Amino acid sequence: MTDSKYFTTTKKGEIFELKAELNSDKKEKKKEAVKKVIASMTVGKDVSALFPDVVNCMQTDNLELKKLVYLYLMNYAKSQPDMAIMAVNTFVKDCEDPNPLIRALAVRTMGCIRVDKITEYLCEPLRKCLKDEDPYVRKTAAVCVAKLHDINAQLVEDQGFLDTLKDLISDSNPMVVANAVAALSEIAESHPSSNLLDLNPQSINKLLTALNECTEWGQIFILDCLANYTPKDDREAQSICERVTPRLSHANSAVVLSAVKVLMKFMEMLSKDLDYYGTLLKKLAPPLVTLLSAEPELQYVALRNINLIVQKRPEILKHEMKVFFVKYNDPIYVKLEKLDIMIRLASQANIAQVLAELKEYATEVDVDFVRKAVRAIGRCAIKVEQSAERCVSTLLDLIQTKVNYVVQEAIVVIKDIFRKYPNKYESVIATLCENLDSLDEPEARAAMIWIVGEYAERIDNADELLESFLEGFHDESTQVQLQLLTGIVKLFLKKPTETQELVQQVLSLATQDSDNPDLRDRGYIYWRLLSTDPVAAKEVVLAEKPLISEETDLIEPTLLDELICYIGTLASVYHKPPSAFVEGGRGVVHKSLPPRTASSESAESPETAPAGAPPGEQPDVIPAQGDLLGDLLNLDLGPPVSGPPLTTSSVQMGAVDLLGGGLDSLMGDEPEGIGGTNFVAPPTAAVPASLGAPIGSGLSDLFDLTSGVGTLSGSYVAPKAVWLPAMKAKGLEISGTFTRQVGSISMDLQLTNKALQVMTDFAIQFNRNSFGLAPAAPLQVHAPLSPNQTVEISLPLSTVGSVMKMEPLNNLQVAVKNNIDVFYFSTLYPLHILFVEDGKMDRQMFLATWKDIPNENEAQFQIRDCPLNAEAVSSKLQSSNIFTVAKRNVEGQDMLYQSLKLTNGIWVLAELRIQPGNPSCMLSLKCRAPEVSQHVYQAYETILKN
Amino acid sequence: MIGGLFIYNHKGEVLISRVYRDDIGSQAADSAVFSSSGPFLGERLGANRRNAVDAFRVNVIHARQQVRSPVTNIARTSFFHVKRSNIWLAAVTKQNVNAAMVFEFLYKMCDVMAAYFGKISEENIKNNFVLIYELLDEILDFGYPQNSETGALKTFITQQGIKSQHQTKEEQSQITSQVTGQIGWRREGIKYRRNELFLDVLESVNLLMSPQGQVLSAHVSGRVVMKSYLSGMPECKFGMNDKIVIEKQGKGTADETSKSGKQSIAIDDCTFHQCVRLSKFDSERSISFIPPDGEFELMRYRTTKDIILPFRVIPLVREVGRTKLEVKVVIKSNFKPSLLAQKIEVRIPTPLNTSGVQVICMKGKAKYKASENAIVWKIKRMAGMKESQISAEIELLPTNDKKKWARPPISMNFEVPFAPSGLKVRYLKVFEPKLNYSDHDVIKWVRYIGRSGIYETRC
């Protein structure tokens, strides 16, 4: 039989013909007509006009015809909701049919008709089918619940279908279990808070039993669901792993990958000393390698996942380098992925082989692939020091081929090699210079210029080379322009005598003839630097650069951990969290790996309790690009007021960010040059003015800003103290202080890396404390912290964390995590950061409250050495939110009556007695919570004495 | 889960379109897609639906560049595609689906279609579109793959849809229990007069060798394909010379271990058809199963150690000036002299600017194929431990192309009557307690075929 003829009817008036045929008495003719309708529908023709006629054919005992009509219904019911009701009766009848296949067909199709009016009629038949004696009907009904939920979630809950679905998890038929799991998982995704799946050891056991018996697809549903469970301890994790490992031998790659996901996730809970841990690692490698003999599309999915696995646990595949060698006939997407993994696995042991391969690849046809291969050679050099020399000579060979894009790519990577091994391979510079003319890509040109500038003293004609670029300065891309500017300044600092003209030329090009603010700013900075203090300029521009780190292109660790939870899914293919490509609420729940230590508390599933994640596993650490922008906006909003220093903290932070970060990027390769710490300028009070001032106002102002944060305005800010010495924290030194600016409290931290390795992956957590201080945002360290680098961070705090009374009251225990370890320290915060802005009490109220508080709550302190008059005291205190309610003069003494309020609503009333001529003053404090008095007194003292 | 499934011909015209979820197409493509889809945009039904269909056509099928990824994300909609001859199958979703599962499903879909109507071609798809819709309705429910074993499907999805009416109640429930049951791949009540089974050990041996004759990588990927014509629900047990099993058994007699140890092979990894009890393999390393009726792939495996490389290729390429290349290739067969290799083909790539080729070979036939940029040397048969040689002179046109010729590797095809991995079938036992035939009554056939996979030598 040939159905293709149905595709060819395109003549006019066919709708009428079809209509007639549909209403024909002959069964065969009817069926033919419906087939034609379906064919037209497939090709995209509108045959909705035939709705009533087609629905009339539904009442038939011919199963094939019935299926065709159903297909039509599913497509058009939504556009004809009123008519769709006509079909309901047949559905309800069919759900009672003695043939289970027909019952299932009816319930399956009904769920696909997405018309609200129909859903009501669907409930009763569905309820029956969920309890049908035939498993085929039950498994279809289970999926139908998910369909119904998609149309009308409330209805499903009201009708109690969710409970019935949960019961099906204990069904005797494995396929029913699998479909119920799939349906529940999907429904649970749209209700992240509800504990729908309610995974517990008993239900997990049921799932594991069903796993052995159901179809390959069912196994995938169950494994994907298992991956969402968090075992209560390492023993449970191990026993689940033991029962999941046999799946690694399944012929279906998706089953294998889902099993890998469960294992990778639960392994996190196992101790590395365990024998079983080692066994499991060994068991994981072979199936992963086997995935590479699957069809190319699956290979691609597998390789994207292996890329993640290799980053998370490099030990699994470290001996399997060879299987990632590229085959000549691999599709390009497989080739590129394999190359990526080869670089990740490259080590001293296999580097010779890898290099030989890469050299081979660099002669292939596909441009992208060749470029990546060349880049890979450079990465090998940086990763494996022993191979650097061989890599460089390989790159030189490639440059000799004169293939344009190979040469350019090679120069870009050689620049990186120079940055990793300074002063080692400069002998190749001559060869590089020969190819100067063939470079037409900005990245390659910029790299070449960087090399010339960096090694200007060893290149005799460096000035000529750079001058040649300068001719077409305005046609270059920004990247090249910036590099050229820096390069020439470097040259000038190294060979000042011959190059004065050149440097002036480039400075004027950059500052006067350019519209690009980055370029102009960098130009001005250099200009001023050179004209005011050439020695400083030398220190800045020619500063020793931090070595670049070995691993590049690594996925940010928290994202990596999240992606591990998504092995096998699209997220792992895109290397993006689902929220980046899934619309709406679905699947946006962040997943995180279970904590390593076996704790009995965290038995909740990770879906419901992302808060149960260990410190530093906050899912949201991808640095938001908007940050700087936000700060810039704040900058505009904050009025540049002089006089009573009211500058907001955001203004300050904005400024620091802008200049700190901005300078870094301006200086390109010299992030350390102007880090702020090198240039300690005397603190001046009225700095905010310089914010609005033109760039011309001088570099010293810029430096003031970066170093003088502490002295600016707002409530008093103590100088930074070392909280965590480097000795105690494996090289991480933390110093910091607390600030309060217009209602927001922040913790200003300075992190210094005094270790020899790069630090990444910072996170912070506070213990519960007396006033509920907690970080209001995750600790954001945007770039890895290289050795000897310091970074300044302002961490906004909130006071809505959980409260526990500490001893002393203002004690704060902090945990800081980085890629090396977790460190703990405690610090005392000054109480005045908790004084709120609306702490001024009205006079009457003050009097009444003062009287109301019993006298035993009054505490008296003496503040010595405070030679200020009442005015000065009052204004000084006011800036820290201690408000003077009234002032009296009694017997030559100034009496100040003051009030303040803490963040948790406690009022403190104060009477300050100042005797002119006497440096000491008396402070009486009254408060309903007398234990704070001592700390309030300390706050007074610190504010007044600074 | 999968939101929709489309099948296109090479022009990008839709042959089959099944939408499971409403989210597909709602915003899948912008108006640019529409304007560019030109003539196809006739009287369309609800434009929404068609958006995803069109987006894929415009961005993937009609794309100028080579396909850079089998997964494409267009306007937050993900498209998975596989191609069979010039037919495109695309699965579409808006959610974070299990990507491996989607591809496995697409392959399975191809298998099922092939089992029903043979080759997947535009003609066949058009001829069977009703059947395909019926299949899609059954094997994919709301985007969740369901039982897709052809053995089970063929019992109730037939090209003669009328059959279903004549089924008895028992037959119906038998179908449903099979489709949902633990042994979804086999129906009960199968009877054969002659109980027979065929085992094919099919291996493809892959090699990448350096010009100096150093093995850069070599592995065998093998498949054990079984054709079973057995009555009832037979319980089978398969045994091979797996090193782990042999060593476990051989512990008793040291003598036997050393003897059999030589013949046992180390299997790097293996995967099994879903009928095999994986937990049993995991714990005892025994392969036991109830087979589907007819042909199926019992297992796949991979070995990398002690591979017998049936052929060695020794290349010698010499550039004589800028316009001439001299190529000499020797092949040596490396197996028992009593065995014969067949269908031997050596493919020697030639540069793009080749103007003429002269070939001399001692055995077989050699021809320069300009369209394929290669010299193809074919030998019908060759016994073990023999050697043969070809030499060629390649004339080149002078070019000013700076880029050097990439020198693709020399590849080889062949077929040998043994398993290059050394795998041997030790036994396949059949038990059917309910019927009166025993293991001895079953006629068993075993055949070994080794083929070249990607068998390349760089030159």
Side-chain angles (χ1 to χ4, degrees):
Chain A
M1 71 189 211
T2 54
D3 288 350
S4 59
K5 60 175 187 273
Y6 303 115
F7 279 89
T8 53
T9 49
T10 47
K11 52 183 187 271
K12 280 187 182 167
E14 62 168 312
I15 297 272
F16 291 103
E17 261 175 48
L18 283 172
K19 212 178 180 91
E21 284 175 39
L22 284 170
N23 291 317
S24 154
D25 296 334
K26 284 182 191 148
K27 262 190 188 173
E28 271 311 305
K29 206 153 195 188
K30 254 189 189 176
K31 204 161 95 183
E32 296 285 289
V34 176
K35 279 190 183 178
K36 277 184 205 162
V37 172
I38 302 288
S40 307
M41 189 174 89
T42 301
V43 190
K45 280 181 204 141
D46 188 353
V47 283
S48 60
L50 295 168
F51 199 93
D53 309 285
V54 178
V55 172
N56 273 336
C57 301
M58 198 172 162
Q59 296 269 14
T60 173
D61 46 3
N62 182 320
L63 200 56
E64 193 188 8
L65 181 58
K66 192 169 241 157
K67 282 183 179 174
L68 288 172
V69 175
Y70 281 176
L71 196 63
Y72 179 90
L73 263 177
M74 285 186 265
N75 245 322
Y76 286 111
K78 216 174 176 187
S79 57
Q80 313 248 351
D82 294 324
M83 301 239 244
I85 301 250
M86 289 162 47
V88 167
N89 239 337
T90 321
F91 280 129
V92 176
K93 216 178 88 199
D94 278 357
C95 284
E96 308 269 340
D97 197 280
N99 186 342
L101 291 170
I102 293 189
R103 291 203 295 275
L105 179 68
V107 78
R108 185 164 65 214
T109 314
M110 273 171 97
C112 295
I113 296 177
R114 306 173 53 88
V115 176
D116 266 339
K117 284 180 192 159
I118 286 197
T119 49
E120 294 165 37
Y121 300 100
L122 185 53
C123 293
E124 272 322 299
L126 177 58
R127 199 186 315 281
K128 259 184 220 154
C129 287
L130 279 167
K131 303 225 159 100
D132 199 286
E133 51 167 19
D134 195 294
Y136 183 75
V137 180
R138 289 202 301 276
K139 72 114 185 162
T140 312
V143 176
C144 190
V145 176
K147 291 177 187 169
L148 190 58
H149 185 269
D150 200 36
I151 309 169
N152 191 341
Q154 197 55 47
L155 187 73
V156 171
E157 271 169 59
D158 296 346
Q159 295 280 331
F161 285 137
L162 294 182
D163 293 321
T164 325
L165 205 52
K166 276 190 213 167
D167 293 342
L168 286 185
I169 289 190
S170 317
D171 199 281
S172 58
N173 184 293
M175 193 149 171
V176 178
V177 177
N179 277 3
V181 166
L184 276 173
S185 301
E186 180 170 337
I187 295 171
E189 234 171 59
S190 49
H191 295 273
S193 52
S194 73
N195 197 8
L196 244 187
L197 271 162
D198 188 26
L199 295 174
N200 53 48
Q202 287 77 41
S203 60
I204 289 293
N205 199 25
K206 278 179 203 153
L207 292 184
L208 285 167
T209 315
L211 188 61
N212 287 327
E213 293 163 355
C214 61
T215 65
E216 45 195 333
W217 315 116
Q219 296 186 16
I220 300 170
F221 305 152
I222 292 179
L223 286 169
D224 283 351
C225 171
L226 271 181
N228 289 333
Y229 175 67
T230 309
K232 63 179 190 303
D233 54 29
D234 49 348
R235 277 178 48 206
E236 195 188 359
Q238 178 175 343
S239 80
I240 295 176
C241 286
E242 279 166 357
R243 293 178 69 178
V244 167
T245 34
R247 298 298 120 198
L248 294 175
S249 315
H250 203 285
N252 187 315
S253 310
V255 175
V256 176
L257 268 179
S258 290
V260 168
K261 164 165 58 194
V262 175
L263 296 175
M264 281 293 286
K265 210 176 157 186
F266 290 4
M267 249 171 121
E268 202 69 10
M269 297 184 69
L270 302 177
S271 150
K272 288 197 174 185
D273 316 322
L274 223 60
D275 285 346
Y276 182 71
Y277 181 85
T279 326
L280 202 53
L281 275 187
K282 270 189 215 131
K283 277 195 176 166
L284 275 172
L288 288 174
V289 174
T290 299
L291 291 177
L292 298 184
S293 40
E295 289 85 344
E297 292 88 2
L298 265 174
Q299 273 189 53
Y300 174 72
V301 174
L303 285 165
R304 292 294 281 176
N305 279 287
I306 289 172
N307 199 328
L308 297 174
I309 292 167
V310 164
Q311 287 184 59
K312 182 72 189 166
R313 297 190 186 279
E315 62 271 31
I316 294 178
L317 287 166
K318 66 179 173 204
H319 299 303
E320 304 288 349
M321 171 61 92
K322 276 189 181 174
V323 298
F324 297 103
F325 284 178
V326 170
K327 294 192 187 115
Y328 193 73
N329 293 324
D330 281 338
I332 183 67
Y333 49 82
V334 169
K335 284 185 177 175
L336 291 171
E337 291 307 315
K338 280 187 174 173
L339 195 52
D340 231 12
I341 295 169
M342 278 173 68
I343 303 162
R344 296 205 193 285
L345 290 177
S347 67
Q348 206 184 328
N350 55 26
I351 194 76
Q353 262 185 325
V354 173
L355 263 183
E357 280 295 310
L358 292 177
K359 203 176 166 184
E360 201 68 41
Y361 303 161
T363 60
E364 282 221 27
V365 204
D366 191 284
V367 178
D368 279 351
F369 181 61
V370 170
R371 280 174 178 273
K372 200 163 183 175
V374 175
R375 207 159 270 232
I377 297 174
R379 270 164 73 182
C380 285
I382 289 163
K383 198 170 172 197
V384 185
E385 190 165 352
Q386 290 81 357
S387 76
E389 202 161 337
R390 231 176 321 164
C391 294
V392 171
S393 74
T394 310
L395 287 171
L396 283 179
D397 287 351
L398 289 173
I399 289 177
Q400 300 301 354
T401 63
K402 304 279 180 196
V403 179
N404 189 285
Y405 54 86
V406 174
V407 173
Q408 310 213 37
E409 206 64 45
I411 286 182
V412 173
V413 296
I414 286 180
K415 177 207 73 185
D416 288 340
I417 295 177
F418 281 159
R419 290 209 49 199
K420 171 77 180 179
Y421 311 108
N423 303 326
K424 230 177 150 182
Y425 299 107
E426 64 271 23
S427 55
V428 308
I429 292 174
T431 324
L432 301 186
C433 292
E434 287 166 20
N435 291 288
L436 212 61
D437 301 331
S438 64
L439 309 180
D440 53 9
E441 288 162 24
E443 207 185 350
R445 286 174 82 85
M448 192 63 219
I449 294 168
W450 183 87
I451 293 171
V452 174
E454 189 66 17
Y455 293 93
E457 67 273 30
R458 315 221 179 123
I459 305 171
D460 293 334
N461 60 344
D463 48 342
E464 284 169 33
L465 293 177
L466 291 176
E467 203 173 354
S468 68
F469 283 103
L470 207 54
E471 281 161 19
F473 189 78
H474 291 298
D475 303 328
E476 300 283 1
S477 72
T478 313
Q479 191 185 10
V480 180
Q481 290 177 333
L482 286 168
Q483 208 48 260
L484 197 51
L485 174 60
T486 306
I488 293 179
V489 171
K490 280 184 195 164
L491 173 71
F492 171 71
L493 289 167
K494 287 173 178 177
K495 297 180 183 172
T497 46
E498 314 122 57
T499 55
Q500 211 153 2
E501 211 174 295
L502 194 62
V503 82
Q504 275 183 348
Q505 204 182 338
V506 76
L507 286 174
S508 82
L509 277 171
T511 53
Q512 285 159 26
D513 302 341
S514 170
D515 292 335
N516 184 326
D518 282 354
L519 186 64
R520 246 183 2 228
D521 289 359
R522 196 193 283 199
Y524 276 122
I525 287 175
Y526 283 149
W527 199 325
R528 291 200 73 85
L529 210 53
L530 292 171
S531 57
T532 48
D533 189 354
V535 181
K538 214 163 187 167
E539 272 177 57
V540 171
V541 180
L542 301 180
E544 203 157 295
K545 281 157 279 293
L547 299 180
I548 55 175
S549 79
E550 294 178 5
E551 292 284 352
T552 43
D553 290 0
L554 284 182
I555 294 178
E556 197 261 340
T558 44
L559 176 62
L560 179 63
D561 283 356
E562 195 187 346
L563 290 180
I564 290 287
C565 303
Y566 287 116
I567 283 179
T569 68
L570 263 180
S572 73
V573 174
Y574 294 146
H575 288 185
K576 282 180 192 158
S579 52
F581 60 92
V582 175
E583 266 166 22
R586 271 167 191 259
V588 186
V589 191
H590 283 288
K591 295 192 183 180
S592 55
L593 290 174
R596 173 151 303 160
T597 43
S599 79
S600 49
E601 284 175 16
S602 61
E604 299 150 289
S605 84
E607 269 200 351
T608 56
E617 302 263 305
Q618 273 106 336
D620 235 342
V621 194
I622 316 144
Q625 283 198 317
D627 271 2
L628 188 65
L629 197 65
D631 285 340
L632 279 167
L633 289 175
N634 279 342
L635 198 80
D636 288 340
L637 294 174
V641 192
S642 53
L646 281 167
T647 340
T648 62
S649 86
S650 48
V651 166
Q652 281 186 34
M653 290 327 297
V656 172
D657 248 351
L658 187 67
L659 291 168
L663 274 179
D664 275 0
S665 64
L666 274 181
M667 304 305 273
D669 297 306
E670 293 94 3
E672 271 222 315
I674 306 183
T677 45
N678 300 358
F679 295 84
V680 183
T684 50
V687 179
S690 72
L691 280 174
I695 295 264
S697 70
L699 272 172
S700 62
D701 282 353
L702 296 178
F703 294 142
D704 274 350
L705 257 181
T706 40
S707 61
V709 185
T711 59
L712 285 170
S713 74
S715 67
Y716 165 70
V717 177
K720 285 194 177 120
V722 175
W723 285 342
L724 181 68
M727 278 166 59
K728 284 191 179 169
K730 305 192 178 165
L732 174 69
E733 189 184 80
I734 300 178
S735 49
T737 184
F738 292 91
T739 58
R740 179 184 186 90
Q741 309 284 352
V742 193
S744 57
I745 307 170
S746 54
M747 186 180 198
D748 289 340
L749 291 165
Q750 178 175 318
L751 306 178
T752 306
N753 181 354
K754 296 199 169 172
L756 292 171
Q757 70 184 108
V758 175
M759 294 178 179
T760 54
D761 201 1
F762 286 96
I764 195 164
Q765 254 195 0
F766 291 177
N767 195 356
R768 285 188 286 176
N769 53 67
S770 318
F771 292 95
L773 281 175
L779 186 62
Q780 301 218 337
V781 181
H782 290 280
L785 197 57
S786 324
N788 274 326
Q789 201 189 343
T790 298
V791 63
E792 302 257 2
I793 299 152
S794 175
L795 180 72
L797 305 182
S798 69
T799 52
V800 293
S802 38
V803 175
M804 181 173 76
K805 196 174 167 191
M806 298 296 291
E807 194 55 51
L809 203 63
N810 56 344
N811 190 9
L812 179 65
Q813 297 178 336
V814 183
V816 170
K817 186 201 124 191
N818 63 13
N819 57 333
I820 301 168
D821 208 336
V822 183
F823 312 106
Y824 304 93
F825 61 87
S826 64
T827 176
L828 300 176
Y829 49 91
L831 213 61
H832 66 259
I833 61 164
L834 302 171
F835 297 174
V836 295
E837 276 65 25
D838 60 346
K840 183 159 186 174
M841 215 179 233
D842 124 51
R843 273 178 191 227
Q844 298 302 319
M845 183 74 174
F846 184 91
L847 275 174
T849 317
W850 185 271
K851 280 183 191 155
D852 199 39
I853 297 174
N855 278 339
E856 57 266 32
N857 278 13
E858 183 170 349
Q860 293 210 330
F861 305 96
Q862 191 176 36
I863 302 172
R864 293 172 202 278
D865 302 310
C866 174
L868 296 168
N869 64 18
E871 289 297 337
V873 167
S874 180
S875 78
K876 214 166 184 183
L877 290 175
Q878 178 150 7
S879 63
S880 290
N881 295 335
I882 301 174
F883 299 92
T884 306
V885 178
K887 198 173 112 182
R888 270 201 306 169
N889 194 299
V890 183
E891 300 159 357
Q893 294 180 343
D894 279 316
M895 306 286 280
L896 293 177
Y897 294 96
Q898 298 175 314
S899 71
L900 61 96
K901 193 168 97 176
L902 298 175
T903 47
N904 56 358
I906 295 178
W907 285 93
V908 181
L909 309 184
E911 181 197 63
L912 191 64
R913 189 182 305 159
I914 302 168
Q915 262 181 312
N918 185 348
S920 307
C921 43
M922 291 298 298
L923 178 69
S924 304
L925 292 174
K926 261 192 164 182
C927 177
R928 289 210 162 84
E931 55 267 59
V932 302
S933 300
Q934 174 69 30
H935 301 282
V936 173
Y937 155 67
Q938 281 168 3
Y940 262 88
E941 210 167 40
T942 36
I943 296 164
L944 288 175
K945 286 189 179 166
N946 286 287
Chain B
M1 279 307 113
I2 298 172
L5 201 138
F6 307 118
I7 302 181
Y8 299 83
N9 65 8
H10 65 287
K11 287 188 232 159
E13 291 165 338
V14 185
L15 303 179
I16 298 286
S17 130
R18 177 77 159 94
V19 175
Y20 293 94
R21 303 220 170 192
D22 256 12
D23 55 356
I24 293 309
S26 50
Q27 286 144 27
D30 44 42
S31 51
V33 169
F34 261 88
S35 53
S36 55
S37 61
F40 295 110
L41 196 85
E43 3 138 34
R44 284 275 154 80
L45 76 142
N48 282 351
R49 284 267 155 101
R50 308 302 294 187
N51 276 357
V53 181
D54 294 334
F56 182 75
R57 169 177 40 245
V58 171
N59 289 290
V60 182
I61 301 183
H62 289 174
R64 280 197 205 105
Q65 290 165 317
Q66 192 192 354
V67 177
R68 301 304 271 197
S69 160
V71 188
T72 328
N73 193 315
I74 306 164
R76 295 203 150 214
T77 308
S78 298
F79 296 82
F80 299 75
H81 74 263
V82 300
K83 234 185 133 180
R84 289 288 181 267
S85 60
N86 50 17
I87 296 295
W88 298 74
L89 275 89
V92 188
T93 181
K94 285 213 134 186
Q95 298 172 26
N96 181 30
V97 296
N98 188 321
M101 184 185 81
V102 175
F103 280 123
E104 284 283 5
F105 177 78
L106 288 176
Y107 301 144
K108 194 61 164 214
M109 176 79 204
C110 293
D111 291 348
V112 171
M113 287 196 292
Y116 267 96
F117 52 77
K119 192 171 174 283
I120 296 173
S121 63
E122 183 172 350
E123 196 55 36
N124 277 346
I125 288 174
K126 280 187 171 173
N127 279 337
N128 293 284
F129 83 97
V130 173
L131 171 72
I132 295 174
Y133 276 124
E134 204 176 326
L135 284 171
L136 276 176
D137 196 42
E138 183 59 42
I139 60 178
L140 201 56
D141 190 5
F142 200 43
Y144 290 104
Q146 305 290 309
N147 192 335
S148 47
E149 286 297 316
T150 32
L153 289 173
K154 279 191 170 168
T155 58
F156 68 106
I157 295 187
T158 53
Q159 278 169 302
Q160 283 80 42
I162 313 101
K163 195 182 161 191
S164 50
Q165 279 121 61
H166 307 301
Q167 287 165 345
T168 62
K169 208 173 170 202
E170 288 76 50
E171 275 171 345
Q172 287 163 0
S173 70
Q174 200 188 326
I175 290 170
T176 57
S177 77
Q178 195 210 327
V179 173
T180 60
Q182 293 183 22
I183 307 164
W185 52 86
R186 189 181 180 94
R187 66 190 168 89
E188 287 196 44
I190 297 171
K191 279 210 175 75
Y192 286 101
R193 217 143 48 88
R194 195 162 116 121
N195 288 300
E196 202 169 13
L197 65 86
F198 299 84
L199 272 180
D200 280 349
V201 176
L202 305 172
E203 295 197 339
S204 79
V205 51
N206 298 278
L207 171 76
L208 183 63
M209 196 175 251
S210 76
Q212 291 75 34
Q214 189 191 0
V215 177
L216 296 174
S217 76
H219 74 273
V220 167
S221 53
R223 306 186 298 143
V224 179
V225 176
M226 183 169 167
K227 265 182 232 157
S228 71
Y229 304 105
L230 302 168
S231 310
M233 294 298 252
E235 177 77 46
C236 299
K237 211 172 162 191
F238 174 70
M240 54 187 180
N241 56 341
D242 178 4
K243 201 170 185 174
I244 299 175
V245 177
I246 303 271
E247 274 170 13
K248 223 194 264 173
Q249 290 172 344
K251 260 177 197 150
T253 48
D255 193 37
E256 204 180 74
T257 317
S258 63
K259 210 172 83 189
S260 61
K262 232 183 270 168
Q263 286 163 2
S264 68
I265 62 160
I267 291 175
D268 286 32
D269 188 38
C270 46
T271 59
F272 297 100
H273 184 267
Q274 60 167 325
C275 66
V276 176
R277 294 182 188 90
L278 294 178
S279 39
K280 211 159 181 186
F281 177 76
D282 194 57
S283 56
E284 305 162 25
R285 222 174 157 86
S286 75
I287 303 164
S288 60
F289 55 97
I290 296 172
D293 194 39
E295 183 170 336
F296 73 104
E297 189 178 281
L298 174 63
M299 74 180 280
R300 280 177 186 232
Y301 57 91
R302 191 165 48 79
T303 73
T304 47
K305 290 199 188 70
D306 303 323
I307 294 168
I308 308 158
L309 296 171
F311 284 95
R312 236 197 101 180
V313 178
I314 305 155
L316 204 79
V317 181
R318 207 161 64 93
E319 287 177 43
V320 188
R322 287 181 55 84
T323 57
K324 202 169 157 191
L325 273 179
E326 277 181 16
V327 180
K328 201 175 114 178
V329 176
V330 180
I331 58 166
K332 284 182 180 173
S333 59
N334 177 34
F335 45 87
K336 271 190 222 156
S338 58
L339 298 175
L340 273 180
Q342 286 182 312
K343 299 178 191 166
I344 302 151
E345 184 185 295
V346 182
R347 189 171 280 268
I348 305 161
T350 56
L352 296 176
N353 54 338
T354 303
S355 61
V357 177
Q358 281 165 348
V359 206
I360 307 162
C361 60
M362 302 180 338
K363 214 177 167 192
K365 279 180 193 158
K367 223 182 201 171
Y368 166 63
K369 291 194 175 168
S371 60
E372 295 167 39
N373 287 312
I375 299 166
V376 180
W377 177 25
K378 286 183 179 170
I379 303 170
K380 279 208 180 106
R381 253 172 242 106
M382 189 167 170
M385 307 317 268
K386 286 265 169 33
E387 191 176 309
S388 192
Q389 181 182 320
I390 186 174
S391 48
E393 272 185 20
I394 302 169
E395 305 275 345
L396 302 176
L397 290 170
T399 55
N400 44 11
D401 192 3
K402 268 187 191 170
K403 214 183 135 194
K404 267 175 68 184
W405 177 47
R407 282 203 188 183
I410 295 174
S411 59
M412 218 190 145
N413 290 315
F414 55 78
E415 200 179 291
V416 289
F418 61 90
S421 69
L423 181 128
K424 291 262 152 50
V425 176
R426 288 172 58 220
Y427 57 81
L428 199 148
K429 292 177 194 155
V430 182
F431 311 95
E432 170 55 67
K434 283 188 197 145
L435 296 177
N436 56 351
Y437 71 94
S438 74
D439 185 38
H440 299 292
D441 303 329
V442 180
I443 306 159
K444 301 168 189 171
W445 306 86
V446 183
R447 175 164 71 157
Y448 297 91
I449 300 174
R451 290 200 185 98
S452 51
I454 294 164
Y455 204 84
E456 294 176 338
T457 307
R458 289 183 180 155
C459 59

